[in-house]
Amino acid sequence: MKIKFLTATVISILAIGCAQKMPEPIELANSIAEEYQKHSSITYDIDYQIKFFSQTTDTNKVKAKIDLIRQEEDSVFGGYVWIEEDSAARYYDGDFAYFIDHRLGKITKYPKDKPYFITGNIISEAIRVYFLKPGRLMNGAKDSTIVKVIKTEVLGSDNVYKWTYAFPDDEEYTKVSKDIWIQKNNLSVLKMTYTSTYQNENQYNQWDIKNVLYDSIKKEALAERLEKLLETYDIEDYQEMTAEEREPLKNGTQFPKLTGALHPSNDSSSIKKLQGKVTIVDFWYMNCPPCIEAIPHLNDLFKKYSEKGLVVIGANPFDNNEKSLTRLPNFLENNPISYPILFVDQTKMRDFKVIGYPTFYMLNEQGEIIYSMVGFGEEMPTAVDSLIKVELKIP
């Protein structure tokens, strides 16, 4: 009996001793920022993967080695960046950005305000581990609309904090959450996941961060790395499109011949019926939020004026493939389209000067362009409505 009493007492004391008060979100965010501020640079390997809303099975994966050097005065990334993959590297030195194609032995140099190949690529997510901009963690910690839970776990051989964010639903995105695993002994981020649901489709992101080293690289070493490559690689300056090249086809010009396959009949003969009609052509695709935003307005115009002679057609250059066609019924259930959908040849978009989506053209009965717009703005439906009345001679 005495032994049992002592054993129970010892267990109770151990349980009390093992209980650990979790840090508050603001406290943990402050601690991580303070720890990162002690270091001038971080180097790590990353396995990053993302399954987009558009994909039912495929997952895009990136393996890279990352060097980040803090430079808080930098307005673009907050420091110097080198991202090394098998076939390419991306380098930002505070003044210029360089895309390094190892396969071609070619380097393209961009102005610092146009690092498109980093920010416009899924590789950009590989550098978002809060080292250069730890204030982003504090923003989340202070946001009272986000539910935050911190607990302890074991991740591999590391004792970690697991910090979970549950974001409020809005009209478009639901079940949005982010998990961050933070090593206890040095407060490094070791893993992150992000999930969300949009129109009954799920997106999943995962960051696995390994081999973290602090203060092992200096900006001079990155510059020397570039200079070494320049001994054998060609370099050229990025050539930006001119203002004229970015503009859509001009008003008063004849609209090029539009061919394709109508959905779902796969019939092309009905395209001839567009001749001699006042027509709106909308170049769009399913994964384009501004395109989706425009659909209800085009539906309204079509419903209002179709019996008076208006034709509206949604020209889609991207979604005529097996995977996208599988998604299309669900997309149309969430975004009904009352006008015809025409799948067109993606390689022909240059003929129509489509460089951004959506791109709208309105044609008169002679097939001449009388209105065009790249992107969607609230002024488009009103402007088009007025033109329709003029062309169809509606008082």
Side-chain angles (χ1 to χ4, degrees):
M1 181 67 68
K2 185 175 181 181
I3 294 174
K4 289 182 179 180
F5 175 77
L6 288 174
T7 302
T9 302
V10 170
I11 291 172
S12 297
I13 292 172
L14 287 173
I16 294 171
C18 289
Q20 181 181 1
K21 184 178 181 299
M22 291 297 101
E24 293 296 322
I26 291 178
E27 177 188 357
L28 183 56
N30 265 328
S31 298
I32 293 170
E34 290 173 0
E35 188 63 32
Y36 278 161
Q37 291 287 347
K38 294 177 183 177
H39 305 289
S40 61
S41 71
I42 185 173
T43 295
Y44 57 91
D45 297 325
I46 189 164
D47 292 344
Y48 172 68
Q49 55 184 304
I50 177 171
K51 188 185 83 65
F52 288 106
F53 296 115
S54 60
Q55 298 172 329
T56 54
T57 56
D58 292 351
T59 300
N60 289 277
K61 297 182 179 181
V62 171
K63 289 181 179 289
K65 186 176 183 64
I66 313 291
D67 295 302
L68 305 177
I69 302 174
R70 189 189 314 285
Q71 182 66 35
E72 294 181 357
E73 296 81 7
D74 181 74
S75 60
V76 180
F77 294 107
Y80 308 103
V81 176
W82 190 291
I83 304 170
E84 187 70 47
E85 300 174 81
D86 288 340
S87 61
R90 295 163 171 83
Y91 173 41
Y92 173 76
D93 67 0
D95 294 316
F96 299 97
Y98 303 85
F99 180 74
I100 303 161
D101 191 324
H102 293 311
R103 294 169 299 182
L104 299 178
K106 176 182 173 183
I107 300 173
T108 305
K109 180 180 177 181
Y110 291 72
K112 69 177 295 180
D113 61 337
K114 295 179 173 61
Y116 303 135
F117 56 90
I118 298 177
T119 57
N121 193 292
I122 63 170
I123 193 65
S124 65
E125 295 297 330
I127 67 175
R128 300 184 191 278
V129 298
Y130 300 105
F131 180 78
L132 296 180
K133 295 185 178 181
R136 292 171 55 229
L137 272 174
M138 181 57 72
N139 294 339
K142 290 180 177 179
D143 191 334
S144 60
T145 68
I146 302 172
V147 177
K148 297 167 282 286
V149 176
I150 298 172
K151 61 182 181 179
T152 59
E153 281 190 1
V154 175
L155 180 67
S157 59
D158 296 298
N159 293 314
V160 300
Y161 293 114
K162 181 182 179 183
W163 187 351
T164 299
Y165 292 82
F167 297 86
D169 292 346
D170 60 27
E171 293 181 358
E172 295 182 338
Y173 296 92
T174 62
K175 301 176 184 177
V176 181
S177 66
K178 186 170 188 177
D179 291 321
I180 308 173
W181 287 261
I182 302 154
Q183 194 173 42
K184 283 187 178 181
N185 65 350
N186 65 6
L187 297 179
S188 295
V189 174
L190 297 180
K191 180 179 178 178
M192 297 187 292
T193 61
Y194 170 87
T195 60
S196 63
T197 299
Y198 175 71
Q199 295 191 346
N200 299 322
E201 294 191 19
N202 300 318
Q203 176 166 319
Y204 178 79
N205 306 57
Q206 180 170 315
W207 298 254
D208 290 296
I209 302 152
K210 300 172 289 187
N211 303 323
V212 176
L213 292 174
Y214 291 109
D215 306 317
S216 64
I217 193 78
K218 296 184 181 298
K219 65 178 183 179
E220 292 79 10
L222 299 185
E224 290 173 7
R225 196 181 294 175
L226 178 66
E227 288 298 321
K228 184 69 174 175
L229 291 172
L230 286 172
E231 293 177 5
T232 54
Y233 284 24
D234 296 325
I235 185 168
E236 65 179 20
D237 289 331
Y238 164 71
Q239 299 296 319
E240 189 170 13
M241 297 178 68
T242 65
E244 184 176 353
E245 289 172 331
R246 290 194 300 268
E247 291 293 322
L249 296 170
K250 293 181 179 180
N251 287 356
T253 59
Q254 195 73 23
F255 192 68
K257 183 179 179 181
L258 184 67
T259 60
L262 286 167
H263 176 80
S265 66
N266 207 35
D267 176 27
S268 60
S269 61
S270 296
I271 301 171
K272 295 178 182 178
K273 296 177 182 178
L274 298 180
Q275 298 173 356
K277 301 283 187 177
V278 176
T279 304
I280 298 172
V281 180
D282 167 32
F283 289 95
W284 72 287
Y285 64 99
M286 284 193 288
N287 291 339
C288 166
C291 300
I292 296 172
E293 188 179 355
I295 289 171
H297 299 279
L298 293 171
N299 282 335
D300 290 343
L301 291 170
F302 184 68
K303 180 179 179 181
K304 188 175 180 181
Y305 295 115
S306 60
E307 291 186 359
K308 301 182 185 303
L310 176 71
V311 172
V312 179
I313 191 157
N316 186 314
F318 292 114
D319 295 322
N320 191 17
N321 56 72
E322 183 177 354
K323 183 167 60 179
S324 294
L325 290 173
T326 301
R327 290 182 56 228
L328 188 58
N330 180 66
F331 178 88
L332 293 176
E333 183 176 343
N334 289 285
N335 306 282
I337 295 178
S338 57
Y339 45 88
I341 297 172
L342 180 71
F343 288 115
V344 296
D345 186 347
Q346 184 179 344
T347 64
K348 302 294 185 182
M349 290 304 96
R350 285 177 177 247
D351 296 343
F352 301 94
K353 294 195 70 174
V354 176
I355 62 170
Y357 291 86
T359 291
F360 303 98
Y361 287 106
M362 183 173 172
L363 319 177
N364 61 20
E365 292 180 350
Q366 290 73 46
E368 297 169 339
I369 299 167
I370 58 174
Y371 175 87
S372 63
M373 182 176 181
V374 180
F376 176 73
E378 294 182 357
E379 70 277 13
M380 190 278 282
T382 302
V384 171
D385 191 286
S386 299
L387 284 170
I388 291 170
K389 289 179 179 177
V390 172
E391 292 299 316
L392 296 178
K393 300 178 175 57
I394 299 174

